[in-house]
């Protein structure tokens, strides 16, 4: 598949279409962790790149990230959107970053926890806290998403009392799916004080472990 806006220099590599947001960082960090060859293309969501017909051809929901793997299943090219689906695919392609036995499902429940809760709620909190402060003078939206973000951080804190990583004892795509969102709260959203992030020390220690991996340093800057 050829996309004229983003010319391909290395057609044998995975093509990544992304931006260095929490959702975008997940896939670039995973690609670095897995040491898979890829070519990155920056999708400028502020300029509306995601709404072009070219981008919708690979991501019908107009969201980042998306990939094209020329060496997909059965040797056929695979076009894939949605970060969790991409992470799961990359894990299964390589046999890494997810246990392959029965314990796999214990990890997957936390991956879907991220999909249904962390991304949605943290994103809404960030919207009303950082972007919509001057557009919405009613306190309810911010209070709702602030309370839910703190509750979800509490869920992570409790989980990390029993496990070194979110899915279990192994660093996995579950951690990669969650920690860019947690990092964003204190860095990009600058919400450390309002969320009282100091009340979640195990979450902070886990975040530090994740960010200490070389794949974070490389992958977090891709498409910035």
């Amino acid at each position: 598949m050829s996309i004229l806006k983003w010319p391909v220099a290395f057609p044998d590599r995975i093509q990544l279409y992304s931006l260095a947001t929490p959702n975008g960082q997940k896939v670039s960090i995973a690609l670095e962790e897995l040491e898979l060859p890829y070519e990155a293309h920056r999708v400028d969501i502020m300029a509306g790149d995601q709404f072009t017909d070219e981008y919708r051809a690979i991501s019908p929901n107009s969201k980042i990230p998306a990939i094209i793997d020329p060496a997909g299943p059965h040797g056929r090219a695979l076009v894939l959107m949605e970060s969790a689906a991409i992470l799961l695919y990359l894990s299964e392609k390589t046999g890494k970053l997810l246990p392959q036995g029965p314990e796999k499902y214990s990890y997957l429940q936390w991956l879907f926890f991220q999909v249904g809760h962390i991304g949605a709620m943290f994103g809404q909190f960030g919207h009303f806290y950082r972007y919509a402060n001057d557009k919405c003078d009613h306190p309810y939206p911010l209070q709702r998403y602030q309370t839910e973000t703190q509750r979800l951080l509490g869920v992570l804190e409790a989980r990390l009392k029993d496990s070194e990583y979110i899915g279990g004892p192994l660093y996995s795509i579950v951690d990669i799916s969650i920690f860019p969102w947690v990092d964003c709260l204190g860095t990009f959203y600058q919400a450390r004080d309002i969320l009282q992030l100091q009340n979640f020390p195990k979450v902070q220690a886990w975040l530090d472990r994740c960010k200490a991996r070389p794949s974070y340093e490389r992958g977090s800057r891709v498409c910035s």
Side-chain angles (χ1 to χ4, degrees):
M1 172 179 275
S2 176
I3 303 179
L4 295 178
K5 183 175 176 60
W6 297 280
V8 173
F10 303 97
D12 58 329
R13 299 182 185 180
I14 292 173
Q15 302 298 310
L16 169 66
Y17 301 85
S18 191
L19 192 68
T21 67
N23 269 336
Q25 287 175 329
K26 298 175 195 176
V27 174
S28 52
I29 290 170
L31 286 165
E32 291 288 342
E33 184 77 26
L34 293 167
E35 299 182 325
L36 286 168
Y38 70 98
E39 181 177 359
H41 306 278
R42 188 175 189 271
V43 180
D44 188 347
I45 61 176
M46 300 305 293
D49 285 353
Q50 72 274 32
F51 297 119
T52 62
D53 290 341
E54 284 185 293
Y55 189 69
R56 282 187 177 133
I58 60 172
S59 183
N61 194 35
S62 296
K63 299 291 184 181
I64 58 100
I67 66 166
I68 301 174
D69 184 0
H74 308 295
R76 298 179 179 177
L78 176 70
V79 181
L80 202 58
M81 67 175 185
E82 291 297 325
S83 59
I86 296 170
L87 290 176
L88 185 56
Y89 168 71
L90 295 176
S91 174
E92 292 184 342
K93 177 183 177 74
T94 59
K96 298 177 181 179
L97 290 178
L98 190 68
Q100 298 304 303
E103 64 270 28
K104 169 183 177 179
Y105 299 100
S106 296
Y107 282 71
L108 287 179
Q109 67 181 340
W110 289 101
L111 180 65
F112 291 116
F113 166 79
Q114 185 278 314
V115 173
H117 301 280
I118 294 289
M121 294 299 106
F122 286 18
Q124 290 297 330
F125 165 77
H127 173 77
F128 284 101
Y129 179 67
R130 176 151 183 173
Y131 296 109
N133 252 336
D134 59 344
K135 298 180 179 68
C136 179
D137 58 5
H138 198 286
Y140 176 75
L142 178 56
Q143 289 174 355
R144 166 174 165 71
Y145 293 116
Q146 176 185 338
T147 299
E148 184 63 2
T149 295
Q150 290 173 304
R151 185 190 74 80
L152 292 169
L153 288 169
V155 173
L156 296 178
E157 183 77 9
R159 172 61 175 166
L160 290 164
K161 290 178 181 178
D162 301 320
S163 180
E164 185 174 5
Y165 293 103
I166 302 298
L170 303 176
Y171 178 77
S172 72
I173 58 172
V174 176
D175 303 287
I176 293 173
S177 76
I178 296 175
F179 88 78
W181 276 112
V182 175
D183 187 44
C184 182
L185 296 175
T187 54
F188 188 70
Y189 293 159
Q190 299 179 354
R192 182 170 298 278
D193 292 337
I194 189 175
L195 291 174
Q196 300 178 309
L197 296 183
Q198 73 277 5
N199 291 339
F200 308 98
K202 292 193 177 297
V203 171
Q204 184 59 56
W206 160 81
L207 177 60
D208 291 342
R209 288 196 296 276
C210 294
K211 291 179 67 176
R213 302 179 76 90
S215 58
Y216 166 77
E217 188 64 27
R218 297 190 301 266
S220 62
R221 299 195 302 265
V222 173
C223 296
S224 60

